[in-house]
Amino acid sequence: MRAARLIKMVLLLQSRPSMTGAELARELEVSERTVARDVLSLSEAGVPVYADRGRAGGYRLIGGYRTRLTGLGRSEAEALFLSGVPAALRDMGLADAASAARLKVSAALLPELRDAADGAAQRFHLDAPAWYREPATPALLPAVADAVWDDRRIATRYRRTDTEVERELEPYGLVLKAGVWYLAARSGTDMRVYRIDRFTSVTPLDDRFTRGPDFDLPAFWAERAAQFARSILRDEVVVRLTPTGTRRLRHVTDRAGAEEALTAAGEPDEQGRTTVTLPVESLDVAYSQLLGLGPEAEVLGPPELRERFAAAAARMHGLYGSHGEP
């Protein structure tokens, strides 16, 4: 533990012109007294650490000293490629590895390039969760992530509606989608997708698995996501849209379903209105979505949905008609 801290101190001093005792203590999560003892130990070991006295003083390395302890380990290198997603790293338990990797890269750079990390951080930030949603980290995510990195089989219990099932899985990859974590894993001969927050237990097994050489996580996820999005559109509604409604349809319903409906639609009528057959998740969902188009959409069918919109229009007229109360 102390050896790792001493290495980190050298890398910190190598990546910056100088640092105060308070700054080092904050970065290393120790007291300033411990920093002073560590500096003395480094000096005794031959590392040229110099202490500047006075109010503006601090610690610095002398004579352009460069440590050779800048080689990236596997976990650090893997974490570095994800370092643009700090919340994801923290959720998977890789924040420390990413911090060490960035520090090693910074220490290896020329002095004029050492502000590159800060510059990038101020120009790009990824906020993965959707709006109006409090992100929650699944408790078992770090255990699953460890198994993914290690290609290690896991024994799991997985919640399905009102039951739990036991599965032995080969965890291939993790996906973060709109703030929700998913696992792509092989169960028997099938590749499946599991929500991490539905695992109730995860136990690493002794044996590792060999990854299929042709597996491509981004391609696999894109295919499954498209299948899922299409599979939930189980109903259809017929809608007559004004030009404004046609433009806005993609923004209030499933985008892929809207594109499909508009592509298959015929020419607009003499009033410029387009009739489409729209795939929807359910009539309840269609009601909520199409209500957002207001008078720009007329539901033609099925009859029960048209009647529901007619009732809603009557209530709206009661509220906003000439005889409505202010």
Side-chain angles (χ1 to χ4, degrees), residues 32-307:
E32 291 188 49
R33 186 183 296 273
T34 298
V35 168
R37 288 199 298 266
D38 286 351
V39 167
L40 180 60
S41 297
L42 288 172
S43 296
E44 292 174 349
V47 178
V49 182
Y50 179 78
D52 291 315
R53 305 295 180 183
R55 179 177 299 179
Y59 299 99
R60 59 185 174 88
L61 293 173
I62 300 176
Y65 176 85
R66 311 285 294 175
T67 178
R68 296 187 179 184
L69 298 172
T70 54
L72 291 178
R74 173 175 289 275
S75 64
E76 294 167 342
E78 290 168 336
L80 185 61
F81 287 105
L82 294 172
S83 59
V85 194
L89 286 168
R90 184 178 61 251
D91 290 349
M92 290 188 290
L94 293 173
D96 289 343
S99 175
R102 286 192 295 268
L103 189 58
K104 287 183 178 182
V105 170
S106 179
L109 292 174
L110 295 173
E112 60 268 24
L113 299 179
R114 288 177 187 160
D115 63 346
D118 289 338
Q122 295 304 318
R123 288 168 173 80
F124 175 77
H125 176 70
L126 176 62
D127 186 7
W131 287 106
Y132 313 117
R133 182 175 193 163
E134 187 66 27
T137 302
L140 294 174
L141 176 60
V144 176
D146 285 344
V148 169
W149 292 123
D150 205 25
D151 290 344
R152 186 174 295 278
R153 289 169 53 83
I154 53 177
T156 68
R157 289 184 64 86
Y158 189 76
R159 188 175 65 255
R160 282 186 172 177
T161 314
D162 298 327
T163 62
E164 286 190 356
V165 295
E166 295 184 357
R167 292 284 187 273
E168 287 192 4
L169 303 175
E170 297 177 356
Y172 269 63
L174 290 166
V175 175
L176 177 60
K177 170 71 172 180
V180 179
W181 284 96
Y182 297 88
L183 172 68
R186 187 176 297 281
S187 176
T189 59
D190 299 327
M191 187 66 71
R192 300 180 179 179
V193 175
Y194 300 85
R195 277 184 61 140
I196 301 295
D197 57 6
R198 292 182 183 168
F199 285 115
T200 58
S201 71
V202 174
T203 303
L205 301 177
D206 292 335
D207 56 323
R208 291 182 169 86
F209 65 93
T210 300
R211 289 172 167 267
D214 297 328
F215 179 75
D216 183 327
L217 180 60
F220 169 79
W221 177 257
E223 179 185 355
R224 289 303 175 90
Q227 289 176 359
F228 173 77
R230 192 64 187 88
S231 70
I232 64 174
L233 303 178
R234 295 182 293 268
D235 281 323
E236 289 184 343
V237 299
V238 180
V239 188
R240 183 183 291 130
L241 301 164
T242 66
T244 298
T246 300
R247 290 193 299 271
R248 292 177 52 195
L249 183 64
R250 301 172 181 85
H251 304 291
V252 299
T253 65
D254 176 78
R255 182 175 291 272
E259 294 286 357
E260 177 185 318
L262 291 170
T263 300
E267 293 295 322
D269 62 19
E270 62 277 5
Q271 295 178 312
R273 297 181 302 175
T274 302
T275 299
V276 301
T277 300
L278 180 69
V280 295
E281 182 175 347
S282 68
L283 297 187
D284 285 340
V285 171
Y287 175 77
S288 299
Q289 293 175 337
L290 296 175
L291 204 59
L293 293 179
E296 309 303 332
E298 178 190 359
V299 174
L300 303 179
E304 60 268 33
L305 185 60
R306 180 176 175 86
E307 291 170 4

